[in-house]
Amino acid sequence: MEIPVLPPGQRVVRGWPVSHYGPVPRFRPDRWNLQVFGATASGTTYSWSFKEVLELPTATVTTDLHCASGTSTLGHEFYGVPAALLLELAPPAPEVTHVMAWAEYGYSANLRLADFYGEQTLMATHHAGEPLTVEHGFPLRLVVPHLYGYKGPKWLRGIEYMTQDRRGFWEERGYHNIADPWTGSRHSYQEDEAG
Ligand SMILES: Nc1nc2c(c(=O)[nH]1)N[C@H]1C(S)=C(S)[C@@H](COP(=O)(O)O)O[C@H]1N2
Ligand SMILES: [Mo]
């Protein structure tokens, strides 16, 4: 058996427990869209129906997931639309430095543009060959493998291009603005530490 390499302070839990704040939203295909808004290069807002999202080019990413509370789940195979592709389809203005990923009910997570652009960052529609379950984010979930789980909104609905940083849901509630698990950057009070 392969011994997993875990970020500091993490322990493996079996399977794939569900964890999030608040209720699970109901998917209404007729009302659902994915929007890219804020500082787009063209000044316009972009919008895709779920059917249109399913027609976009896809990639597969296999990754472990690390929750900032200290649990990790291993070997997830996600399939969906690379974030880098969205940046091509809806180019950001040159001044854009960060994005806010928005989910149903106002959940949000801010990311540096470079983290969103990361080659593993994916807007997943499928997990292990099956559509995501609603508890794990159906119809669309952001997966940012190199950051703690709170940077990956389930029930993703929008990407806002920002010309300066602004804190998202957990980042406003004591969690680290960058959320790098490999440096154990869990809490906002760690932000003034070197590195
Ligand atoms: N919309 C939404 N997305 C969310 C959260 C949330 O509360 N709301 N929690 C995040 C956190 S802290 C983690 S660890 C993962 C958990 O994902 P899972 O339930 O699929 O294991 O979802 C992330 N995405
Ligand atoms: Mo988490």
Side-chain angles (χ1 to χ4, degrees), residues 6-193:
L6 285 180
Q10 295 297 114
R11 66 180 192 284
V12 174
V13 295
R14 272 169 206 272
W16 194 14
V18 170
S19 97
H20 54 260
Y21 179 86
V24 173
R26 193 155 72 89
F27 175 52
R28 296 182 183 83
D30 49 321
R31 289 196 218 160
W32 192 95
N33 59 10
L34 174 70
Q35 293 208 325
V36 176
F37 61 101
T40 60
S42 63
T44 57
T45 292
Y46 297 78
S47 179
W48 292 265
S49 67
F50 188 55
K51 188 167 169 283
E52 289 167 335
V53 168
L54 291 175
E55 287 161 2
L56 296 175
T58 55
T60 299
V61 167
T62 300
T63 182
D64 303 335
L65 290 180
H66 310 295
C67 176
S69 70
T71 55
S72 292
T73 54
L74 304 182
H76 299 278
E77 188 192 272
F78 288 104
Y79 167 94
V81 180
L85 182 91
L86 197 79
L87 291 164
E88 265 177 49
L89 297 174
E95 312 81 63
V96 170
T97 55
H98 293 78
V99 310
M100 190 73 80
W102 288 99
E104 302 283 358
Y105 302 137
Y107 182 89
S108 62
N110 58 316
L111 295 156
R112 296 178 293 191
L113 183 60
D115 287 322
F116 186 67
Y117 197 68
E119 60 178 36
Q120 302 247 85
T121 305
L122 193 72
M123 296 180 296
T125 56
H126 290 69
H127 179 268
E130 300 286 337
L132 285 170
T133 61
V134 67
E135 292 81 9
H136 286 301
F138 179 84
L140 195 65
R141 172 195 189 137
L142 188 65
V143 179
V144 189
H146 64 288
L147 300 178
Y148 283 125
Y150 62 91
K151 292 293 188 180
K154 307 195 270 193
W155 315 297
L156 184 71
R157 288 293 304 276
I159 300 295
E160 178 186 358
Y161 292 157
M162 305 196 294
T163 55
Q164 56 183 34
D165 199 8
R166 213 167 73 225
R167 300 180 82 94
F169 182 85
W170 287 118
E171 296 82 0
E172 276 189 330
R173 289 166 177 78
Y175 283 86
H176 199 283
N177 200 40
I178 304 300
D180 178 2
W182 300 97
T183 56
S185 302
R186 295 171 207 272
H187 307 291
S188 51
Y189 64 73
Q190 297 171 290
E191 284 170 19
D192 46 12
E193 288 171 8

